[in-house]
Amino acid sequence: MSLFRSRLFWFIALLVGTSPAIAQTTQTSAEALAQDAAEYARAYGVPAPEAMRRLIAQQDSVPAIDAIADRYRDRLAGISVQHRPDYRFIVYLTGESPVAPTSVVTGSMRVPVQFRTGAKASRERVLWALTHHQPAIRAALSGTPSMGIDPRTGELVVIAAQSVVDRAGGAATLDTRLTQLTGVPVRIRMLDLVDRNLGPQGGGRLDGTDPASGRRYRCTSGFLVGDGTRTAITTAAHCLDDLAYIDPARQATPLGFVGQWGWGYHDVQIHAVPTAARPTFFADTARTLTRPVEAQRSKMSTRAGDFICHRGESTGYSCAEVTLLDFAPAGQLCGGYCLPTWVAVAGPTCKLGDSGGPVFSGTTAFGIVKGATFRPDGSCAFYFYMSLDYLPTPWRLLTEAPAVLVQGQ
């Protein structure tokens, strides 16, 4: 076998979940969800079967919760998932007219849905204010704060360093001033943080050499996509154009650059792969487990509190809660300031080299990692990702028919 054909075989092996030298396993839907459920059980101190039921409920409740969101669209301030003391959905509405609690049934689990009223503004109104008043908010803090919407409270959250907030008169003064400016409730969150893209440095490993500096950089591959005629792999737009896939045996297969989209609400780069293949991605740190992609979660169907996972070439596999929707990172990370289209997740791990990596729950794909917010000590406060809703036309996520997931598997 020629060197090129050997490396090509390795690349195909990544996508179909096998390799000629290193044992790999392609998980079933139940096995994939069980792996994430083990992380959920550790995070919330519940038994593994209960964790599994909750993640199945998180997945299967989407149509019912979306229907509730649509029914109360004019009053909707946000929807969130509560994990303690019990598992339930919280729907936050404007106005004082009460709504009786209900529930959704998913498999063997009945999940309560609780309605809270009294929100001062709908999500649509807060999103409009965030989009249109970004420049004025940044000017008021004389810096580059990040901002987003917290569906748990219906507030526009502005995140800035304490020193910046103190110079602007303090948190209480800023809350009042920015609420008057935007016409929606604003809450200042004081954190000494730095937002940055997570690459280029480290699903699979992609390496390239910067022609200007001669330095080697690393990113992470995301998901397989297609345009009807070609098959390609995604990563982040701020990664290098000239990349090669590095297989577990450290052999390199050059990829064909197709294009990059990195402005405003995009951070995605697409590279053609040598042949059509099964849509899978690595789901463990050691790159021995692959998962099929069986579904896609839209941004509108993502809730604060959803428990989701990501894999980066630098940090491996980890899971955490969605914290902020409609997030606009600090700094000019999107060819200028970013639009409030990103989703922020509470770490717990993120490092340079994770850019472009897959964000998922079970076999459902959510997005690809863009960047992260770091504390002064370098630890990860949260990372943020681009929803797959924003794949450029005509590219779409490639999936395969899902297997039937039986409750209790």
Side-chain angles (χ1 to χ4, degrees), residues 275-289:
T275 185
R278 185 180 180 188
T280 65
F281 61 95
F282 281 122
D284 67 327
T285 300
R287 294 201 293 176
T288 60
L289 298 175

Side-chain angles (χ1 to χ4, degrees), residues 337-371:
Y337 290 115
C338 297
L339 295 175
T341 58
W342 310 87
V343 180
V345 183
T349 57
C350 52
K351 288 183 180 179
L352 296 178
D354 286 353
S355 283
V359 180
F360 52 90
S361 175
T363 55
T364 297
F366 280 65
I368 57 176
V369 173
K370 171 179 174 56

Side-chain angles (χ1 to χ4, degrees), residues 199-200 218-220 235-241 243 260 267 269 355-356:
R218 178 191 308 163
C219 279
T220 304
T235 191
H238 59 269
C239 297
L240 298 177
D241 295 352
L243 291 171
Q260 62 179 207
D267 194 343
Q269 186 164 280
S355 283

Side-chain angles (χ1 to χ4, degrees), residues 94-156:
T94 61
E96 299 300 334
S97 178
V99 178
T102 185
S103 61
V104 296
V105 178
T106 59
S108 64
M109 189 173 185
R110 181 180 293 274
V111 184
V113 180
Q114 179 182 351
F115 293 86
R116 294 178 180 169
T117 58
K120 293 182 172 58
S122 69
R123 174 191 171 276
E124 289 188 352
R125 184 179 165 197
V126 177
L127 179 57
W128 184 93
L130 171 54
T131 302
H132 287 80
H133 292 293
Q134 262 204 77
I137 294 171
R138 296 185 191 282
L141 274 82
S142 302
T144 56
S146 58
M147 55 196 84
I149 298 175
D150 187 346
R152 297 176 178 87
T153 64
E155 295 171 318
L156 194 168

Side-chain angles (χ1 to χ4, degrees), residues 230-247:
R230 294 173 293 177
T231 299
I233 194 78
T234 62
T235 191
H238 59 269
C239 297
L240 298 177
D241 295 352
D242 187 10
L243 291 171
Y245 166 68
I246 309 300
D247 66 38

Side-chain angles (χ1 to χ4, degrees), residues 190-205:
M190 290 182 290
L191 294 171
D192 292 321
L193 302 172
V194 176
D195 287 1
R196 63 181 302 172
N197 289 324
L198 287 179
Q201 182 188 342
R205 177 173 169 176

Side-chain angles (χ1 to χ4, degrees), residues 169-185:
T173 299
L174 274 173
D175 284 348
T176 301
R177 187 192 312 171
L178 296 180
T179 295
Q180 292 172 344
L181 169 70
T182 62
V184 300

Side-chain angles (χ1 to χ4, degrees), residues 378-396:
S379 62
C380 177
F382 51 85
Y383 71 90
F384 40 94
Y385 71 85
M386 185 197 85
S387 169
L388 293 171
D389 294 348
Y390 300 122
L391 286 174
T393 304
W395 295 95
R396 62 179 181 84

